[in-house]
Amino acid sequence: MNHAHHPTLFINDDNVAELATWPNAIEALSEAYKQPISAAMVPPRTMARGEGFWLRSLCAVSPSKQYMGCKLIAASPKNKKASYLISLFDQDTMHLAALIDGNRITDIRTAASSAVAVNALAAADKLDIAVLGSSALARSHLHALNATGRIGKVRVYSPTQANREKLAQEFAELYGLDIQAVSSPEEAVKHANVVVCASRSRDGGPVFDAAWLEPGMTIVSVSSTLPEQRELDVATMQAAHLIVADMPEEVLHETGDSLVAIQAGCDVAAKTVSLSDVMTGQVQVRQKPEDIVIYKSVGSALQDIVTAEMLLRNAKTADLYQEMQDSIVTIDR
């Protein structure tokens, strides 16, 4: 059977590495979040579990009206293996437009979405950034924030001296950033207007202390996405005037930060809004300049699919893909 008129394109990991530019990802996500997004377009993720392995699916309909898709994550903590696959279907024809290696996409979409949020939430022209952590996620956040063109200076703290120094040196050489590795989280956070928490403490407790809060601060929290994980202490959650979430329901009910704060009597739900509401102008970020704002991210299928869509556009422009010999049958029904 001939499907030559609508071939499925395969974009492999090397292609993704070449095609994914930070400005493109930030722009695509920024545009997506300015469109109306209903809950039906981004349903809750699902997970099928076996003995020591699982398959997770995150589905979304893009507001671009072009594609809809699913990210599948197959993971075996037992065997320390994982695979990521993203499928994109055409919203009109239902054809399978592309299959994309999703290995790099989680880090890309998470950091690019944080950059979209920081662009919308941080009031100062120049970002004075504190980074807590030196993980791959901390690095991708610095790449993405650098692409906003707003970085003034950066201070990074990570418990291992060699790791924080390596990160600082790497980004100073790469972008000529004014970046410094410091020996305590307090030193990193002092006078910062944006704090990126991209690190979980070894004991699972918070890495950010409310004693470090300064007026007008924007805090980005991306590493506590499960009930047993925490990055922000209760007093920080209480001090926040607004909590902006990529997936409000999941942030409220599935992250340790919210659950512990709610238990302690903090009405987290009353001050939690969606990133989409901020980007469409339905919510004012600060009532007064000294208000403290938190962006809390658990990751969303919308981010995966919008990023994949951007990769497919770039792949077609750059001719960086493999055309599959055959594809699945699209039937009339």
Side-chain angles (χ1 to χ4, degrees):
M1 193 177 287
N2 178 21
H3 303 294
H5 58 293
H6 61 90
T8 296
L9 306 186
F10 178 63
I11 304 175
N12 68 23
D13 187 53
D14 290 341
N15 296 154
V16 171
E18 221 171 311
L19 294 164
T21 75
W22 291 107
N24 280 176
I26 293 166
E27 188 188 2
L29 286 158
S30 187
E31 286 310 306
Y33 274 111
K34 286 175 190 165
Q35 310 303 317
I37 298 159
S38 69
M41 291 163 72
V42 195
R45 57 194 80 190
T46 63
M47 200 157 172
R49 292 177 188 272
E51 292 291 328
F53 61 90
W54 46 262
L55 181 66
R56 183 178 238 184
S57 67
L58 294 83
C59 296
V61 171
S62 171
S64 71
K65 307 211 175 1
Q66 273 190 292
Y67 299 103
M68 58 185 169
C70 182
K71 179 169 80 171
L72 290 172
I73 310 165
S76 168
K78 182 177 66 174
N79 298 328
K80 298 188 167 50
K81 299 281 184 203
S83 295
Y84 299 78
L85 173 68
I86 295 185
S87 56
L88 289 180
F89 290 85
D90 186 292
Q91 286 186 27
D92 292 322
T93 64
M94 301 301 127
H95 294 154
L96 177 61
L99 293 173
I100 303 173
D101 187 319
N103 162 45
R104 294 169 195 270
I105 287 177
T106 304
D107 271 4
I108 293 167
R109 58 82 146 144
T110 304
S113 297
S114 291
V116 169
V118 167
N119 263 340
L121 303 176
D125 290 340
K126 281 289 170 206
L127 306 178
D128 190 340
I129 297 172
V131 178
L132 303 182
S134 58
S135 61
L137 198 53
R139 283 184 152 73
S140 58
H141 273 71
L142 263 183
H143 285 300
L145 288 168
N146 178 70
T148 67
R150 292 175 64 186
I151 292 185
K153 59 180 178 209
V154 183
R155 283 175 305 280
V156 59
Y157 169 76
S158 168
T160 310
Q161 187 177 350
N163 291 352
R164 61 185 186 244
E165 284 177 358
K166 188 179 170 213
L167 184 146
Q169 188 189 347
E170 193 182 306
F171 279 86
E173 286 170 8
L174 192 57
Y175 299 126
L177 285 182
D178 174 356
I179 181 169
Q180 198 186 347
V182 294
S183 55
S184 73
E186 297 91 320
E187 203 183 334
V189 170
K190 197 171 173 55
H191 303 318
N193 51 30
V194 174
V195 179
V196 177
C197 300
S199 151
R200 287 200 294 275
S201 65
R202 295 193 174 95
D203 63 0
V207 295
F208 187 89
D209 186 324
W212 311 333
L213 285 169
E214 294 187 23
M217 205 175 245
T218 300
I219 300 165
V220 175
S221 167
V222 292
S223 288
S224 48
T225 60
L226 297 169
E228 63 272 20
Q229 296 168 345
R230 292 176 67 199
E231 270 185 322
L232 310 177
D233 63 356
V234 169
T236 300
M237 296 292 281
Q238 285 169 328
H241 295 81
L242 195 68
I243 297 168
V244 179
D246 54 357
M247 296 288 280
E249 288 305 305
E250 285 187 35
V251 164
L252 281 171
H253 304 300
E254 292 177 36
T255 68
D257 295 324
S258 293
L259 293 171
V260 176
I262 290 165
Q263 240 172 343
C266 177
D267 190 353
V268 180
K271 55 184 173 184
T272 298
V273 300
S274 72
L275 178 56
S276 165
D277 283 347
V278 169
M279 293 299 290
T280 52
Q282 290 175 58
V283 170
Q284 188 186 337
V285 176
R286 284 179 177 82
Q287 305 303 318
K288 48 188 194 299
E290 46 278 10
D291 285 358
I292 286 158
V293 176
I294 293 171
Y295 170 62
K296 187 112 190 68
S297 164
V298 291
S300 113
L302 176 80
Q303 297 160 4
D304 290 314
I305 299 314
V306 167
T307 303
E309 211 174 37
M310 174 274 293
L311 288 168
L312 179 56
R313 273 198 305 274
N314 287 3
K316 286 176 170 175
T317 306
D319 277 335
L320 266 185
Y321 57 79
Q322 283 89 50
E323 203 167 284
M324 289 168 60
Q325 289 283 297
D326 209 340
S327 186
I328 59 173
V329 180
T330 304
I331 57 167
D332 296 324
R333 52 176 292 191

